[in-house]
Amino acid sequence: MLIRKAPDLRFSDITPKPLYLRRREFLQTAGGAALGAAAAAMAPPFAASANAQAKTAAHGAKLADVKKSPLSTTGEMLTSFDDITSYNNFYEYGYEKDDPKQNAWHLKPRPWTITVEGYAARKGTFGFDEFIKPFPLEERVYRMRCVEAWSMVIPWVGIPLKDVIASFQPTPQAKYVEFVTAFNPAQMPAQTTRILPWPYVEGLRMDEAMNPLAILAVGLYEETLPNQDGAPIRLVTPWKYGFKGGKSIVKIRLVDYQPKNTWQVMAPAEYGFYANVNPNVNHPRWRQDSERRIGEFFRRKTLMFNGYADQVASMYTGMDLKKNY
Amino acid sequence: MKPIVLLKRVIFAAALIPAGTLVVDAFRGKLTANPIDFITDTTGVWAIRLLITTLSITPLRRLTGWNPIIQLRRMLGLFAFFYATLHFLTWSVLDWFFDVRSMGEDVVKRPFITLGMATFLMLLSLAVTSTKASVRKLGKKWTQLHRLIYAASITALTHFWLVGKVTVTEVMYWAVVLTALLGFRVWWVVRHA
């Protein structure tokens, strides 16, 4: 038997470093086509995603001075950081659940500005740090129920929306709050397509925005918000379906009309303005009376207002929730 | 070995790759945060890919004149049924765990599930009559019955289209392919009428 001594060569001697670092780039372009016409023809999206690299968003910076909130949901097991950051609906980065994790690294969440407009005394454009500085960072553990009938439990870090809105000193004409999110195709690749009308818009009635449960989240698991979860700042309204939580907010407008939220514009028969979690109002595609908690096998019953009825039901007294879905 | 025999073996092995990948990924914990949805999507998409691919065999035979290729047709159709069955079982066992009432309501109330169920029943009737004995026994009726694949491919793709919140690229891709494959048959019939 002949046993050769390993040659004194290192990989860097064979392929120059800049070149091998571009290997993935090469695979994505030339390789995608060359990997076999048959395979590509059979499964174009699969072939494309097989080449895509899993760019894991690193953990964000630790947030200091986060205080626990009595408004946190107790007695629930938290969904893992990995699941919260790898299974997202964030169409700005693509419509597959893992697209945001793959593509969100393009986003530069700083510097960031938030513009306040409309019926308020204190308006203008604020830098992110200046915007959140006056408010205490609170940890709020909330259930998150997606309209697609899955759910998570997320330890958000955020600032109370009611304090933020109050600081704008809204005038009496302000009846609704409209949240406009980022439009930046260079950093949000799927915005070059027309899968949704951009930018993504959400809205709340003024009393909903002033409800103590509503927050603007800037982090989760005591770290700054990962890009795929809506960095640097997003809306969280735990008694509503997840799509109400507009991500990467750039503009907050105090208005006198009911804002046209994006999914309502897309499919008004399926998504309404209120989008309260309601097991009694079925969606044409998904049953809403049960849900699968991420990490669990059996479905569990969906609770009215996602279990937050005590804090929010009074806002909807007398309203026909079958019509105002 | 004849080219067709080799081709058949290669395609047989290739058609098992998606199912094998699911099994391997299950052990590696790579089925995403929502494994049941992921398995449902993967098996459903492969059923459609293989179903429409089955429809390409006859046009390929006619265009190339290479008759042995017809031997691939039943195998591909049965693989489409294999993935459709996995898809159906994922829905009924993993997702609903035999909750017959909820499933029944969904079949009645939700158009995309109605179409999915209709597709599955059509494919089932084609699969059980796919044996040589059935072909002999049914004769002309077999040909008529197996035209159901045209309906099944349309209901399957519509099911796929309706399940998405937005129209995904793959639905459009297969819609173009299916239109071409069905269009070819119309053109062929008209030309030979």
Side-chain angles (χ1 to χ4, degrees), chain A residues 108-131:
Chain A
K108 293 184 185 74
R110 303 291 158 73
W112 195 270
T113 59
I114 297 145
T115 302
V116 179
E117 287 178 357
Y119 294 109
R122 185 171 161 264
K123 293 185 278 197
T125 297
F126 306 92
F128 175 80
D129 293 318
E130 178 194 3
F131 184 86

Side-chain angles (χ1 to χ4, degrees), chain A residues 82-306:
Chain A
D82 276 352
D83 286 349
I84 295 171
T85 56
S86 67
Y87 195 75
N88 308 90
N89 279 322
F90 199 167
Y91 282 34
E92 281 79 346
Y93 298 114
Y95 51 68
E96 299 288 353
K97 294 286 186 294
D98 59 345
D99 284 339
K101 184 179 175 174
Q102 306 272 346
N103 298 328
W105 61 273
H106 288 285
L107 182 82
K108 293 184 185 74
R110 303 291 158 73
W112 195 270
T113 59
I114 297 145
T115 302
V116 179
E117 287 178 357
Y119 294 109
R122 185 171 161 264
K123 293 185 278 197
T125 297
F126 306 92
F128 175 80
D129 293 318
E130 178 194 3
F131 184 86
I132 66 161
K133 205 175 172 187
F135 310 102
L137 289 182
E138 296 183 17
E139 183 182 77
R140 301 277 186 104
V141 177
Y142 285 151
R143 286 179 285 267
M144 202 285 293
R145 169 63 157 80
C146 178
V147 71
E148 296 164 350
W150 52 267
S151 63
M152 294 183 176
V153 181
I154 303 174
W156 299 109
V157 176
I159 53 179
L161 181 60
K162 69 177 174 61
D163 297 346
V164 177
I165 300 285
S167 77
F168 303 154
Q169 301 160 32
T171 62
Q173 294 105 306
K175 304 284 187 231
Y176 293 90
V177 186
E178 184 172 35
F179 299 88
V180 182
T181 69
F183 178 71
N184 187 345
Q187 296 183 17
M188 297 176 143
Q191 284 185 331
T192 57
T193 72
R194 293 187 181 182
I195 46 174
L196 288 182
W198 314 109
Y200 192 90
V201 170
E202 260 305 340
L204 295 172
R205 218 167 55 190
M206 188 54 96
D207 60 331
E208 296 179 315
M210 299 301 284
N211 187 285
L213 286 183
I215 57 166
L216 290 175
V218 298
L220 55 84
Y221 272 108
E222 292 182 38
E223 298 171 3
T224 54
L225 207 53
N227 287 356
Q228 63 266 43
D229 291 277
I233 188 163
R234 61 164 295 165
L235 178 64
V236 175
T237 47
W239 70 98
K240 293 174 178 289
Y241 292 119
F243 70 83
K244 288 300 284 185
K247 306 182 182 90
S248 308
I249 294 169
V250 294
K251 202 180 278 184
I252 299 176
R253 311 179 67 214
L254 296 136
V255 294
D256 57 359
Y257 56 86
Q258 192 182 83
K260 285 265 178 220
N261 50 320
T262 299
W263 279 108
Q264 189 190 3
V265 172
M266 277 294 283
E270 299 183 26
Y271 312 98
F273 172 75
Y274 288 96
N276 291 318
V277 176
N278 189 340
N280 308 313
V281 176
N282 260 320
H283 184 277
R285 267 188 277 250
W286 307 281
R287 302 177 70 88
Q288 298 301 12
D289 55 358
S290 70
E291 68 199 49
R292 177 163 290 105
R293 178 66 54 82
I294 294 303
E296 293 180 356
F297 179 76
F298 288 106
R299 285 176 179 250
R300 47 164 77 207
K301 289 239 172 293
T302 291
L303 305 170
M304 188 64 201
F305 295 116
N306 203 20

Side-chain angles (χ1 to χ4, degrees), chain A residues 40-46 82-84 86-87 89 91 95-98 146-148 150 152 195-196 243 263 266 270-271 282-290 292 294-299, chain B residues 18 32-38 41-42 45-46 49-50 53 76 91 93-97 101-106 109-113 161-170 173-174 177:
Chain A
M42 279 287 285
F46 264 49
D82 276 352
D83 286 349
I84 295 171
S86 67
Y87 195 75
N89 279 322
Y91 282 34
Y95 51 68
E96 299 288 353
K97 294 286 186 294
D98 59 345
C146 178
V147 71
E148 296 164 350
W150 52 267
M152 294 183 176
I195 46 174
L196 288 182
F243 70 83
W263 279 108
M266 277 294 283
E270 299 183 26
Y271 312 98
N282 260 320
H283 184 277
R285 267 188 277 250
W286 307 281
R287 302 177 70 88
Q288 298 301 12
D289 55 358
S290 70
R292 177 163 290 105
I294 294 303
E296 293 180 356
F297 179 76
F298 288 106
R299 285 176 179 250
Chain B
T32 80
N34 196 345
I36 297 177
D37 267 18
F38 182 75
D41 289 354
T42 307
V45 162
W46 277 104
R49 288 169 181 165
L50 288 159
T53 304
L76 282 168
W91 176 69
V93 181
L94 296 183
D95 196 356
W96 286 106
F97 204 69
R101 207 177 130 226
S102 292
M103 288 190 283
E105 276 174 20
D106 271 2
K109 275 192 194 164
R110 289 173 220 295
F112 88 92
I113 297 181
W161 175 54
L162 288 178
V163 74
K165 290 202 288 195
V166 295
T167 303
V168 302
T169 321
E170 181 146 16
Y173 173 86
W174 286 112
V177 175

Side-chain angles (χ1 to χ4, degrees), chain B residues 13-34:
Chain B
L16 283 170
I17 291 174
T21 308
L22 277 180
V23 173
V24 172
D25 282 351
F27 283 105
R28 293 169 66 220
K30 295 271 181 193
L31 295 178
T32 80
N34 196 345

